[in-house]
Amino acid sequence: MNAVTPNIAERIRALGARATPARVAVMRLLETAERALSHHDIELALQANGFDRVTLYRVLDWMVESGLAHRVADAQRVFRFSLAAPDAPAHDRHAHFRCEDCGKVFCLDDVPVTRPALPKGFSSSAVELSITGHCGHCGKHA
Amino acid sequence: MNAVTPNIAERIRALGARATPARVAVMRLLETAERALSHHDIELALQANGFDRVTLYRVLDWMVESGLAHRVADAQRVFRFSLAAPDAPAHDRHAHFRCEDCGKVFCLDDVPVTRPALPKGFSSSAVELSITGHCGHCGKHA
DNA sequence: TTGCTAATGCAATTGTGTTGCGTTTGAACC
DNA sequence: GGTTCAAACGCAACACAATTGCATTAGCAA
Ligand SMILES: [Mn+2]
Ligand SMILES: [Mn+2]
Ligand SMILES: [Zn+2]
Ligand SMILES: [Zn+2]
């Protein structure tokens, strides 16, 4: 019984991880979030569940590591998290847009990132193209 | 006597503030920096002067409040400061390389950054192309 | 030179995120 | 259904950039 969010739990297991209540709850929350959420936002929104603060930090770490979420430090130097586009190619192959207002990160799937030539002796492990500005939602009210 | 940086001290007084050694030193340092500096960077660069850490924090706060500097939180959520002067080098027109070993940031002057097309309603204020990897010096010992 | 108060130095504190470690639990297997 | 065990958790302690409180110093206008 208890038809618990089969989609999300299934996606978690598909990554080889355990579908715990904390992971399901955080992912569901981020899926419907209008803006990038801080750890504190999430703690407040899910306080009825009684998750430990460290558990929430670890869920968020795991989401970032496994490519499910983006993490960015906002202007007050607190991390904000937003869901990554599920069907996008690897994040280092496309550009990202970060809204200065709401903190949300958008995958710009159709803006490719090409690896530029480097000076002699240099080697690259990652390339990142990020644009900052106002997103479609926040630009309306500017 | 002691012709100490007349330009900077004068600019400080023109803002109605006192031209203290800490302010002059921090402003001079930021004027010649080719990247945004953290409080720690500044503390190290000016350690011969013996300024208190808090004094440096307060100088930087004052610079931001009075419009002399920009403050941004970097990916590791530490504040970085750069001069807001209109004649500042245009770091947003070229790519940057950050070495994973030594942490140094290199301006890749010949790798241009072009502003990509954005989704409807989006507007961009900055574009950043950053490559991470091993620099010429650190790559030799890899 | 003096007087006023902005600015400083130092200690304590805050806010956000991390680490260590013993305990619980998801899910694979029977 | 029960058994097993590493992944995940809860809690306490920790790390560290940044801020605040307060007594003292010093920039500069008069
Ligand atoms: Mn992406
Ligand atoms: Mn540059
Ligand atoms: Zn936005
Ligand atoms: Zn290096």
Side-chain angles (χ1 to χ4, degrees):
Chain A
M1 55 180 267
N2 193 5
V4 179
T5 58
N7 299 348
I8 291 181
E10 203 46 51
R11 267 167 55 202
I12 293 174
R13 293 196 197 93
L15 292 167
R18 294 183 182 173
T20 65
R23 282 176 178 161
V24 172
V26 171
M27 285 184 68
R28 263 216 308 206
L29 181 61
L30 281 178
E31 260 182 359
T32 59
E34 275 299 309
R35 36 179 267 116
L37 300 182
S38 67
H39 170 272
H40 189 64
D41 291 337
I42 294 167
E43 202 176 14
L44 285 181
L46 301 181
Q47 62 183 358
N49 303 73
F51 302 127
D52 188 80
R53 358 181 276 115
V54 179
T55 297
L56 296 179
Y57 275 118
R58 291 199 265 233
V59 166
L60 292 167
D61 289 347
W62 165 79
M63 288 186 69
V64 171
E65 280 164 21
S66 50
L68 292 170
H70 291 298
R71 164 169 41 207
V72 58
D74 73 11
Q76 285 72 238
R77 72 180 216 110
V78 353
F79 285 141
R80 308 203 83 99
F81 300 85
S82 56
L83 230 54
D87 53 345
H91 290 306
D92 61 345
R93 311 298 284 239
H94 58 252
H96 292 94
F97 182 95
R98 181 168 58 83
C99 178
E100 291 168 355
D101 293 319
C102 66
K104 220 168 181 174
V105 175
F106 301 80
C107 297
L108 303 180
D109 303 326
D110 46 354
V111 177
V113 173
T114 56
R115 201 159 289 228
L118 294 174
K120 237 188 177 67
F122 283 55
S123 64
S124 68
S125 62
V127 182
E128 198 185 318
L129 175 59
S130 68
I131 298 103
T132 52
H134 301 281
C135 78
H137 186 261
C138 298
K140 285 173 188 151
H141 319 295
Chain B
M1 55 178 290
N2 194 6
V4 178
T5 59
N7 299 348
I8 291 181
E10 202 47 49
R11 266 166 55 202
I12 293 174
R13 293 197 197 93
L15 292 166
R18 293 181 181 175
T20 64
R23 281 176 179 161
V24 173
V26 171
M27 283 183 69
R28 264 214 309 206
L29 181 61
L30 281 177
E31 259 181 359
T32 58
E34 76 256 11
R35 64 194 173 99
L37 301 181
S38 67
H39 171 272
H40 189 63
D41 291 336
I42 294 168
E43 200 177 14
L44 286 181
L46 302 182
Q47 62 184 357
N49 302 76
F51 302 126
D52 188 81
R53 314 178 332 102
V54 178
T55 296
L56 296 178
Y57 275 119
R58 289 199 268 232
V59 166
L60 292 167
D61 288 346
W62 166 79
M63 290 187 68
V64 171
E65 281 166 19
S66 51
L68 292 170
H70 291 303
R71 165 169 41 207
V72 300
D74 72 12
Q76 285 71 239
R77 68 182 217 106
V78 352
F79 285 142
R80 307 203 85 97
F81 300 87
S82 56
L83 267 202
D87 58 340
H91 289 299
D92 60 343
R93 312 296 260 238
H94 57 254
H96 292 93
F97 182 96
R98 184 169 54 80
C99 178
E100 289 168 356
D101 292 319
C102 66
K104 205 168 181 182
V105 176
F106 301 81
C107 297
L108 303 179
D109 300 321
D110 46 353
V111 178
V113 174
T114 56
R115 196 160 294 226
L118 294 174
K120 236 189 179 66
F122 284 55
S123 65
S124 67
S125 63
V127 182
E128 199 187 316
L129 175 58
S130 68
I131 298 102
T132 52
H134 301 281
C135 78
H137 185 262
C138 298
K140 285 172 189 152
H141 320 294

